[in-house]
Amino acid sequence: AMPRRRDDDDDDDDEKALWDALGRGTAAGRAVFNLYSGDSGGKEYGAFANDFNRLQMRVSDPATRRAPPEVEEAVKKENAIASAARTTHARVRRPTNFTGAPPLTDAEALRASFEKSKARRPGVRPKALSDLENAARREEAPLPPAPSRRLIGEQGKLRLQRLREFNGRLPEEQPENVADARRARKESAKPKTTRETAETLFSQVALEIEERETFLAEMRAAGIGARYETAIRAEIAERVQTLRRLDGTICAEEAKEAKEGRA
């Protein structure tokens, strides 16, 4: 229903009621006012656009000009009929009296190949048949004889290896070496005195000092002696103090032994 100015107004033909209801200040009200107030601006523009389109149709190329709708529909229908005829002609025709199986599709051919390869595989043998064959095979092949003596262990294997290495004569089993080994065991079993222990430690500490002096000399020759100078000197000073304590212990033990010898 069209908008009205008043509910009690029965004048349906009053065009002023339309733009008054919409409002002259709105875009819709101005458009309705121009439409019903006899404004010919829109009509003039429509005529101008129609004339312009006609002129463009006259000067345009007929090859690129669009055909009327009924002509376009007829052309589309003819193209569809021709396309269907070409498809029907390209389709492979089979004789009507053919009684064989139709050709397989790619998926059906792949499935048939898989089934054929699976049929060629050996089937699962029954367990009862396998047990009978294994029992018959064990009866045919005699068991190997049991060993007549105890098998050698890892120690025996190592001894056999060393016997082959020394041509059957182990060094530790020779008479001259056996005597030396016994003597060494007796000496090692004999408890050392305090003096002997101190002398052994003195020799070890002196060897450590000599090794550090050699290392420091090699680093100086390589040009990086300053990097290790402080640490090596500290270790040498610590071992020198140890040598002094050991030397005092040795001197005290020697004096003690000399006193006991005079007594």
Side-chain angles (χ1 to χ4, degrees):
M2 298 297 292
R4 299 182 182 278
R5 182 169 51 186
R6 294 188 302 272
D7 294 340
D8 56 350
D9 189 2
D10 297 333
D11 188 5
D12 295 337
D13 298 329
D14 188 4
E15 63 273 8
K16 295 181 179 181
L18 298 175
W19 64 70
D20 288 347
L22 295 174
R24 289 288 298 275
T26 61
R30 286 193 297 272
V32 174
F33 174 77
N34 294 332
L35 180 63
Y36 286 96
S37 64
D39 186 7
S40 61
K43 296 180 181 179
E44 293 176 358
Y45 180 78
F48 167 75
N50 191 19
D51 295 339
F52 178 80
N53 291 335
R54 289 180 179 178
L55 178 62
Q56 291 295 108
M57 291 288 291
R58 286 197 298 269
V59 300
S60 63
D61 186 7
T64 61
R65 189 181 304 167
R66 186 171 181 179
E70 59 274 6
V71 177
E72 290 186 354
E73 290 296 332
V75 171
K76 288 182 181 180
K77 185 179 295 185
E78 293 177 359
N79 292 337
I81 294 173
S83 176
R86 288 194 299 269
T87 304
T88 305
H89 179 72
R91 189 180 304 160
V92 178
R93 297 181 179 179
R94 292 183 297 171
T96 56
N97 59 349
F98 180 73
T99 58
L104 300 177
T105 61
D106 295 342
E108 293 174 349
L110 180 62
R111 188 180 302 106
S113 176
F114 174 73
E115 294 294 340
K116 187 176 180 181
S117 63
K118 186 171 65 173
R120 288 198 298 267
R121 298 177 183 175
V124 179
R125 298 174 61 84
K127 185 176 184 302
L129 181 59
S130 300
D131 294 342
L132 290 176
E133 292 180 354
N134 294 335
R137 192 178 298 111
R138 285 193 296 269
E139 292 177 359
E140 294 175 0
L143 296 177
S148 58
R149 59 181 181 179
R150 186 174 62 85
L151 299 177
I152 61 175
E154 293 297 328
Q155 296 294 333
K157 293 178 183 179
L158 293 176
R159 187 174 185 280
L160 180 60
Q161 179 180 352
R162 299 192 72 245
L163 285 172
R164 293 177 62 85
E165 180 181 358
F166 292 101
N167 198 16
R169 293 172 58 85
L170 295 178
E172 61 272 13
E173 294 182 358
Q174 302 305 316
E176 59 275 11
N177 296 333
V178 171
D180 295 341
R182 289 177 180 175
R183 189 179 309 108
R185 285 198 297 271
K186 288 181 180 179
E187 291 178 357
S188 60
K190 182 180 178 181
K192 293 183 178 181
T193 60
T194 305
R195 177 186 172 184
E196 294 174 348
T197 304
E199 290 176 352
T200 304
L201 293 176
F202 191 91
S203 302
Q204 294 177 357
V205 175
L207 181 61
E208 292 176 1
I209 293 175
E210 183 179 355
E211 291 176 353
R212 280 158 176 76
E213 290 287 353
T214 304
F215 173 78
L216 190 57
E218 294 176 354
M219 295 297 102
R220 288 172 179 170
I224 55 176
R227 187 184 303 176
Y228 304 97
E229 182 81 23
T230 304
I232 296 299
R233 286 301 177 187
E235 294 179 1
I236 291 175
E238 181 181 357
R239 281 158 177 76
V240 168
Q241 295 294 333
T242 304
L243 288 181
R244 291 176 180 174
R245 291 196 299 271
L246 292 174
D247 184 66
T249 303
I250 293 172
C251 292
E253 292 295 327
E254 288 180 350
K256 183 178 178 180
E257 291 178 358
K259 183 177 179 180
E260 290 178 354
R262 287 195 301 270

